[in-house]
Amino acid sequence: APLATPAEKFSGEAEKGRGAAGWMQETSVFSAGMLQSGAFSRLPPSNIEEMFQRMVSISVKAGQVVIMQGAGGDYYYLIEHGIATVTRIVEADEPPLVLAELKEGDAFGEEALVSDNKRNATVTMKTDGTLLRLNKTDFIEQLKAPLLNLITLAEAEQRIAAGAVWLDVRFPSEYRFDHLPNAVNAPLHEIRSVLKTLDKEKEYITYCQTGRRSSAAAFILAQHGLRVFVLMGGTKARSQ
């Protein structure tokens, strides 16, 4: 059975940040190549250095629940060593749905921090490992602010006319009720599964009701190297 203590509550053996150079020297996971791809490639070098300086390293055990579905979000994580499983409870009387398996170099925990919502999935360590952890305040300052590209409806429509694609990150029931023309439904809790179907040569514009879920989805997509924008204010702004 999973250990009961989420790593968000775990103070344990925590090592202060060593800086980007230190991580690059001591592990291939965060090599120069990795820092030059995906989300990190879009960060100013000073932000990358500061991010690693502020991170702490924690040891975790196989079966340990790192984040729990329904809990508040306090940290962003990078996997230095180990494998973790992402699951989500859809129906209380059914087994959790496995959404993804995360490996060394993968990140998680950003959805709740970007959208300021509760955790929408549980992450459990499949093996022993080491995680790098960044607190919410530092995450917003060093990662969220530089990476989110908010655009107005007028700007979005111009990009759509030029070939960009709408991504509706709401639940399928919301999408069926009302969605923008030719929008693709990519629910936030399934966004990692949708990644492999998206074209890195295209631009995507995420939207939801208010802009909160679409911001979280855009952040995840940006981490994987996609060109993505967020419809400012969501569909509520469109109806005003």
Side-chain angles (χ1 to χ4, degrees), residues 29-45 47-48 51-52 55 76-78 105-107 142-143 147 219 222-225:
V29 176
F30 304 109
S31 63
M34 189 272 192
L35 295 176
Q36 291 167 1
S37 64
F40 295 135
S41 67
R42 306 180 187 203
L43 288 174
N47 285 59
I48 297 176
M51 176 187 72
F52 281 104
M55 279 181 157
Y76 168 74
Y77 296 91
L78 289 172
D106 286 339
Q142 301 299 322
L143 286 173
L147 288 178
F219 187 91
Q223 284 188 120
H224 289 81

Side-chain angles (χ1 to χ4, degrees), residues 120-136:
N120 64 13
T122 294
V123 177
T124 306
M125 294 304 299
K126 187 175 181 179
T127 66
D128 291 353
T130 306
L131 305 177
L132 307 184
R133 189 174 71 178
L134 187 70
N135 70 44
K136 183 176 182 177

Side-chain angles (χ1 to χ4, degrees), residues 196-214:
K196 59 181 176 290
T197 69
L198 301 180
D199 186 349
K200 288 192 175 183
E201 299 302 315
K202 292 185 177 181
E203 287 186 350
Y204 293 92
I205 303 172
T206 61
Y207 74 90
C208 62
Q209 199 75 10
T210 63
R212 294 170 70 180
R213 283 178 286 176
S214 52

Side-chain angles (χ1 to χ4, degrees), residues 3-221:
L3 301 182
T5 305
E8 299 211 88
K9 307 292 184 186
F10 172 73
S11 55
E13 297 279 337
E15 179 185 344
K16 290 185 178 180
R18 285 176 278 177
W23 295 117
M24 289 166 64
Q25 289 171 1
E26 296 178 32
T27 174
S28 61
V29 176
F30 304 109
S31 63
M34 189 272 192
L35 295 176
Q36 291 167 1
S37 64
F40 295 135
S41 67
R42 306 180 187 203
L43 288 174
S46 59
N47 285 59
I48 297 176
E49 179 67 28
E50 189 64 27
M51 176 187 72
F52 281 104
Q53 289 287 1
R54 297 186 188 187
M55 279 181 157
V56 295
S57 175
I58 60 171
S59 297
V60 285
K61 298 294 185 181
Q64 182 169 346
V65 175
V66 183
I67 62 176
M68 182 79 72
Q69 182 177 341
D74 294 326
Y75 295 100
Y76 168 74
Y77 296 91
L78 289 172
I79 301 178
E80 184 177 10
H81 300 296
I83 299 173
T85 303
V86 184
T87 58
R88 176 179 170 83
I89 296 175
V90 180
E91 300 290 342
D93 57 347
E94 294 183 3
L97 177 67
V98 177
L99 301 178
E101 187 170 277
L102 306 177
K103 61 185 185 306
E104 295 178 350
D106 286 339
F108 62 91
E110 60 279 280
E111 294 100 319
L113 302 187
V114 176
S115 66
D116 206 26
N117 287 326
K118 299 293 186 181
R119 298 293 195 189
N120 64 13
T122 294
V123 177
T124 306
M125 294 304 299
K126 187 175 181 179
T127 66
D128 291 353
T130 306
L131 305 177
L132 307 184
R133 189 174 71 178
L134 187 70
N135 70 44
K136 183 176 182 177
T137 300
D138 291 337
F139 169 84
I140 291 172
E141 180 182 334
Q142 301 299 322
L143 286 173
K144 178 183 174 181
L147 288 178
L148 285 186
N149 297 309
L150 302 176
I151 59 175
T152 65
L153 178 61
E155 292 170 321
E157 289 177 337
Q158 289 178 352
R159 290 184 177 277
I160 292 295
V165 178
W166 286 117
L167 280 186
D168 186 324
V169 302
R170 301 174 300 169
F171 289 112
S173 58
E174 296 174 278
Y175 173 82
R176 287 192 295 269
F177 180 74
D178 176 40
H179 62 266
L180 297 178
N182 301 315
V184 175
N185 190 210
L188 174 60
H189 66 278
E190 298 176 4
I191 200 72
R192 286 186 172 87
S193 301
V194 175
L195 273 167
K196 59 181 176 290
T197 69
L198 301 180
D199 186 349
K200 288 192 175 183
E201 299 302 315
K202 292 185 177 181
E203 287 186 350
Y204 293 92
I205 303 172
T206 61
Y207 74 90
C208 62
Q209 199 75 10
T210 63
R212 294 170 70 180
R213 283 178 286 176
S214 52
S215 292
F219 187 91
I220 295 170
L221 296 176

